[in-house]
Amino acid sequence: MDYREWQPPAGLGGVLSCLWMRVVPATGAAPVTVLPDACADLIWSSEHGAFIAGPDTRPAPAELAPGTVLIGARFRPGAGGPALRLSLDELRDQRVDAADAAPLLAKRLPAGLSPTEAAQRIGPVVADLAAAARLDPEVGEGARLLAIRPELTVARLAKALYVSERQLRRRFDAAVGYGPKMLQRVLRFRGLLARLDAPGGPAGLAQVASDLGYADQAHLTRETRELSGQTPAELARAHWPDLVIRRCTGTREV
């Protein structure tokens, strides 16, 4: 299975994490497991046309047919809802046909395109979405703070942003797809994946747990099992091509 990523087109870095493509070999079906990454994606499939992948809170297994080509645009946490003009909490843990959620996108990215045509169209489509998006500045800043300060509580985050906790959760639900606490969990998990994926792996899980803001190693293990279905040790031994480890995630590269 071939998976590649590209930097967002000029001017779209505040909305997109990346553009990407996945090509499934013609030799057989490809099982994959998509792990939570705090992002929503607009995806064109050679099999079905355009669909939207909402933000995940658990591992999402899928099987891709032989020869399938996927071309996607991955929105940064907090940008997907405004760009797609959808309340992302309604798409949480779901894959929804664009024809049902955003009919105009389905018309611009129909199933009958060739992969080359889809790749040429998705950039302009996303540029139009970004131009019309009204990003929520408090959500954007909140996502940034949670990425760099994993110890923050929701109460302290709300205070730092001068909004109530209730309002903060409501705005996160719409723009990110879930509340700030869930985003914090996913961002910490992505930090763990980055450590596991680094050359030589992590020095020790106890130190990683401390660095990433977990209470202790047991907390890290429990959270990892809930978000991936595997322990950190099992993830470290996993066959990485079978896991969609979306590296262009978050408010910064991990």
Side-chain angles (χ1 to χ4, degrees):
M1 190 180 302
D2 185 22
Y3 176 75
R4 299 181 183 180
E5 294 179 352
W6 292 269
Q7 292 295 318
L12 298 184
V15 175
L16 285 186
S17 289
C18 66
L19 298 173
W20 58 270
M21 178 174 68
R22 181 173 291 274
V23 180
V24 181
T27 54
V32 297
T33 300
V34 181
L35 301 181
D37 66 355
C39 297
D41 291 59
L42 171 63
I43 303 171
W44 175 86
S45 165
S46 57
E47 293 289 310
H48 307 292
F51 66 97
I52 298 169
D56 294 317
T57 62
R58 55 180 182 263
E63 187 165 304
L64 304 177
T68 298
V69 178
L70 300 175
I71 298 171
R74 184 160 303 134
F75 295 96
R76 290 188 177 277
L84 294 166
R85 299 185 185 182
L86 296 169
S87 185
L88 281 190
D89 57 335
E90 298 179 0
L91 276 65
R92 185 187 306 144
D93 295 315
Q94 296 188 57
R95 308 295 182 260
V96 180
D97 285 345
D100 296 326
L104 290 179
L105 295 181
K107 291 181 179 179
R108 296 183 68 178
L109 293 168
L113 298 175
S114 70
T116 299
E117 290 172 325
Q120 291 171 341
R121 287 194 187 191
I122 198 166
V125 168
V126 174
D128 289 345
L129 292 175
R134 294 184 178 181
L135 301 182
D136 188 321
E138 280 73 34
V139 170
E141 177 64 6
R144 187 190 72 83
L145 289 173
L146 289 172
I148 63 175
R149 296 178 59 187
E151 81 286 352
L152 274 179
T153 64
V154 175
R156 289 172 62 190
L157 179 63
K159 185 176 181 179
L161 297 174
Y162 301 99
V163 297
S164 69
E165 291 183 45
R166 181 177 180 180
Q167 182 182 152
L168 187 66
R169 291 191 182 94
R170 177 179 57 79
R171 290 163 69 171
F172 262 74
D173 279 345
V176 179
Y178 39 63
K181 186 63 178 179
M182 187 68 211
L183 176 60
Q184 181 183 56
R185 294 177 62 199
V186 173
L187 293 177
R188 283 193 303 218
F189 171 66
R190 302 306 300 188
L192 170 65
L193 291 180
R195 297 291 186 95
L196 294 177
D197 206 24
L205 288 180
Q207 184 59 52
V208 171
S210 177
D211 293 344
L212 296 178
Y214 291 98
D216 51 31
Q217 185 175 335
H219 182 206
L220 179 150
T221 299
R222 184 170 62 254
E223 289 272 290
T224 301
R225 185 180 287 112
E226 290 182 9
L227 291 171
S228 72
Q230 301 184 66
T231 67
E234 289 169 338
L235 277 176
R237 294 192 298 267
H239 182 51
W240 288 103
D242 291 341
L243 299 175
V244 181
I245 309 299
R246 297 168 170 173
R247 289 180 174 81
C248 66
T249 187
T251 53
R252 53 182 181 146
E253 297 297 326
V254 296

